[in-house]
Amino acid sequence: MRNLSIGQNILIAILGIVFFMLLVTGVIFYTTFSQRTDTLVESQSREINKQIVLNYEGYINSVIETANYVQYASLNLDVNSAASELQNIYLINSEIKRDVVSIFLFDSHGVQILGDPVRDSRRDGIARESWFTSALAENSIFHFSTDNSQSISADNDEQVISVSRSVKYTDTADNKNGVILIELNFRTITDLAEKTNLGPDGHILILNDDDSLIYSSGNYDQLRSRESIQIAVQNYFGGFPAEIDNKVMHMNITPLSQTRWRIVTVNDVDEVAQAKRRMLLVLGLIFIVSGLVAAAAAVAISRRISSPMKLLRISMANIEKGDFYTKVSVSGQREVVHLAASFNSMIDTIRSLMEKIVEEQRDKRKTELRALQNQINPHFLYNTLDSIVWLAESNRTDDVITTVVALAKFFRISISRGETFIPAADELSHIRNYLTIQQIRYQEKFTYAFEIDDEINEYKVMKLILQPIVENAIYHGIGDEQEKITIRGYKENSLLIFEVENTGYGVTDERISEMYRILDGTHEVNSVGIRNVYQRLKLYYGAEGNIIITSKLDELTNIKLIIPIEVPVELPADKEIDV
Amino acid sequence: MNNRSVQYTVSRGLLFLITFLLFFFAAGCRTQEKQTALILYNENDPFIYTFARQLEDLTSDIPNYQLETIDSQNSQILQNEQIEEMAAKGRDLLIINPVDRLGSYSIVKKMKDQEMPIIFFNREPLIEDLKLWDKAYYVGARAEQSGQLQAELIMELFGNDPNQLNQYDRNGDNIIQVVILKGEQGHQDAEIRTVEVVRAFRDRGFELEILITEVANWNQVQAFEKMEQILKTFGGSMEVLLSNNDAMAIGALDRMRLEEVFSDTNGNDRIDPLDDDWLPVVGIDGLSEAVKEIEQGYLYGTVLNDSLTQAKAIVELSEYILEMRRLDGMSFEIIDDKYIWIDYKVFTLD
């Protein structure tokens, strides 16, 4: 995080917040929705199941009431003496109840006593029919059987449910055991089941106590409902979600009272599950879309904040490179604009401070320069006046005149109305005057020559720059043999080169390096001379101004002065220079 | 840290640890508590109401025995839901008074699957259903016994000699003319009580003439209404009124008082069997209203469904089941590892 830019930080923060909020609200929303639909589905399925079971119970109860009534009548009326009355009760009850196919009373051996005529094929086997045997085996309950689904009545072919129970009846004032059989129309069960809406693939199953299928609604046959039956068998009773045929269903199993049957309702709630899935999809889409929108917004905001910053940073980099003159112009957030303005004013201050420092440095240099220029003159003046005195004593009038005239010219150029820079021609004539004076003084112990390109005459050079070098050449060159001093001036590219060459012994390399050290100021000596020139060159011309010393032993010494043609800074004219 | 503060820190730490352990121990004890659910078919039934209170009282002092009472409001569907919920919550034992006898079939199968023990009471499941699960039990009274005791009460009143009935054989024909008020037609108890009371007379050689068996569905009001016609038809010949339960007996007595069947002929300021036109009426159940009728002399007697002893048996059985102890060590006799039978009691004025 620490290495990230402001923009990236903003992006991450915004995206983080947005995704977090979306995730939290999404999860809460979905779980609430899902829980609510689940409870709704569950309670609805339960209600439907309850309703169906209540319908069946109501139906079963009405059947049992009929059975009880018939049984009560059989006990109170004698089957022998009131046979026709009882037979009427049996027939009327099966007549008026649409769902009751027929009612029979059999004695404990399976011989019919009352009811519709029994079909011949079944008459002799009554005692072996399952409804009969089970009624005798457990006499306290009603037995519901679907084993032999065809009615035993001779007048009827309908599919029936056999409801049987062991009963007591009165036969010639004697209580006897018998079995009552009520045959119910199977269609009634079907009708009760088909009124309910359980969804496209929802269905009702009725299971016997041995878990065999008594009835299944819709087009769910034994094979197709196998999966539902299996789940129902494993779960006995209760409500729970189940997956049947790869569809989400809600199953409710309820035992049907008075029987040991179980009613299984399978509610097809796949649409609800699909709605949940769709909801999840929509939430996902919302998540992605708002994530993208948030990302775009975050990018825009971070750009708006960071781009002026970037501009500022580029400007700062420019300033690092030394450009103090371009102003930073930034538009955007108030803070950044303020920052830019403060930065601009800071740069202004720095620049003016720098300019001030430059000016101070220049003034300082000027003062130093003047001091250096002023150093030259007293020695020379003293020597020259000394030699004029000497010439006058020797009556060498012409030489006196020549010397004095040269001296006068020499000083005029030295002063040069306070100019620091003078044309090269003036500087050279200054040297000529100097050499004239020195030649007289040293009594023709040296000769000199000028080799000057005329094109350099007009270039301005720092004044009094050649004289100390020539002076040096004279002092070091004068020996037993007459020496020759050659002064050259020419232009080489953008440089003016002046050479002062004198014949003589020359100097050793050690001496040359010692001289360079003197120029640098690392070797302290009393003499000013060349070092003075060197310092002035460096002061004014910087790195480009230089002095190069070369020598050929027993032959010559050459000092080359290198001056750039362009003077970097024009110094203001001095009002006066005291010499 | 100086010595004192080290001591302080150590003692504090120890205290904390002990508290922590105690807390866990207590929490551990809590989870050991046995959770039992008592599911009643209908709390509006006075017998069931009394029974539930007795059970609650008996279990309240037993440590680690939590009893939760649930009313099924006479709906097997509701009861199934309640059982489903209890099974889901995981109870250690269910004490169930089924709404529908046959509904027990699915309950037993489900509880076997959940390995949850069950004690049924008041409504006896089919024996084949009860046998489906080792830990399914039934505590109750034998319905046939109530009819037998009813018959014994009357036989004693009539002098205990079938050949020589005393003054209560009003017409002196040595045959007892009876009217029977029957509970719900088809109801197991109604059928058994009716059959058994008659059988008990005949087994002892008493001759019985059943004037009418009237179904009044266990109901006081229905008995009151039906008694009007009975009194009109058989008022003169009736010598005994046998009722399948107390409620119907009280309804009949209400009608008989209205028709002024009883009167204080011996002038002792109360109705009693010594009055000339007094007529024995017997019920079953031992309701508090019935006890009042007995004290006033109208009702001759009742056969008590001994709810307190049944409750005690259930509590003892449940403790044995929860503690996984051998059931033959109980103070109640357990038959076939399934049944505890509680005897009916006879209740009369003396």
Side-chain angles (χ1 to χ4, degrees), chain B residues 22-34:
Chain B
L22 270 175
F23 180 78
F24 255 73
F25 187 67
C29 281
R30 268 192 93 78
T31 54
Q32 275 181 359
E33 194 155 84
K34 298 293 185 183

Side-chain angles (χ1 to χ4, degrees), chain A residues 456-489:
Chain A
I456 69 163
N457 281 341
E458 293 308 315
Y459 292 114
K460 290 208 168 181
V461 294
M462 200 192 297
K463 75 178 179 189
L464 307 184
I465 203 157
L466 280 173
Q467 184 268 330
I469 293 169
V470 175
E471 187 180 350
N472 181 70
I474 293 167
Y475 287 148
H476 293 285
I478 289 172
D480 297 335
E481 292 174 45
Q482 192 184 40
E483 73 160 328
K484 185 178 179 189
I485 294 172
T486 313
I487 292 149
R488 295 189 190 93

Side-chain angles (χ1 to χ4, degrees), chain A residues 68 140 209 239 257-258 260, chain B residues 84 100-102 105 129 185:
Chain A
N68 283 338
S140 64
D209 54 357
S257 68
Q258 312 273 12
R260 285 147 97 199
Chain B
E84 192 189 345
D100 174 37
R101 311 181 56 198
L102 296 183
Y105 171 67
D129 293 347
Q185 177 67 37

